[in-house]
Amino acid sequence: METLYETLDAEGFSEEPIALPVEDFIDLHDFSPKEIPSLVEEYLCQAHQAGFREVRIIHGRGKGVQRAIVQSVLEKSPLVLSFSDAPPERGGWGATIAFLRSPNDS
């Protein structure tokens, strides 16, 4: 299964969507903070449709800006049951683990 993510022309990228496989993780290092909310929302939809119950969102440690953006999106998403910082062996506070509702949940 694949999903589409749009790139921004302002950064020198084509405005054409690119196809990426849906996996149980996404690495946000290559994306700007302004791209993160829509990217994470689309990723959650695609991961939920693919039947994933747990996903890891890798945002990096840095100053915590992308972590805050990611966790804000997760707080608002009806697809997310809960989330927390990843355990140390899976990225620590440089990644967030989100637990998704079952596709069969209403």
Side-chain angles (χ1 to χ4, degrees):
M1 175 176 258
E2 293 187 346
T3 188
L4 300 177
Y5 296 106
E6 293 183 22
T7 56
L8 300 176
D9 194 30
E11 306 257 328
F13 295 104
S14 168
E15 290 186 12
E16 293 295 316
I18 56 171
L20 298 174
V22 176
E23 301 178 275
D24 65 350
F25 72 94
I26 186 169
D27 187 339
L28 302 177
H29 281 97
D30 292 335
F31 299 94
S32 70
K34 65 183 174 184
E35 295 174 285
I36 301 301
S38 62
L39 182 65
V40 171
E41 288 171 6
E42 178 64 21
Y43 171 71
L44 291 173
C45 288
Q46 295 294 324
H48 183 256
Q49 288 177 355
F52 291 114
R53 297 298 305 275
E54 177 184 316
V55 294
R56 182 168 56 125
I57 302 170
I58 304 166
H59 40 69
R61 293 187 176 132
K63 296 180 182 179
V65 173
Q66 293 206 46
R67 177 181 177 267
I69 294 169
V70 165
Q71 293 188 354
S72 175
V73 171
L74 296 175
E75 284 176 351
K76 297 172 189 169
S77 176
L79 301 175
V80 176
L81 289 171
S82 65
F83 63 89
S84 64
D85 290 336
E89 66 275 6
R90 295 185 68 198
W93 61 278
T96 297
I97 304 293
F99 297 93
L100 306 181
R101 296 186 183 283
S102 167
N104 300 326
D105 291 349
S106 50

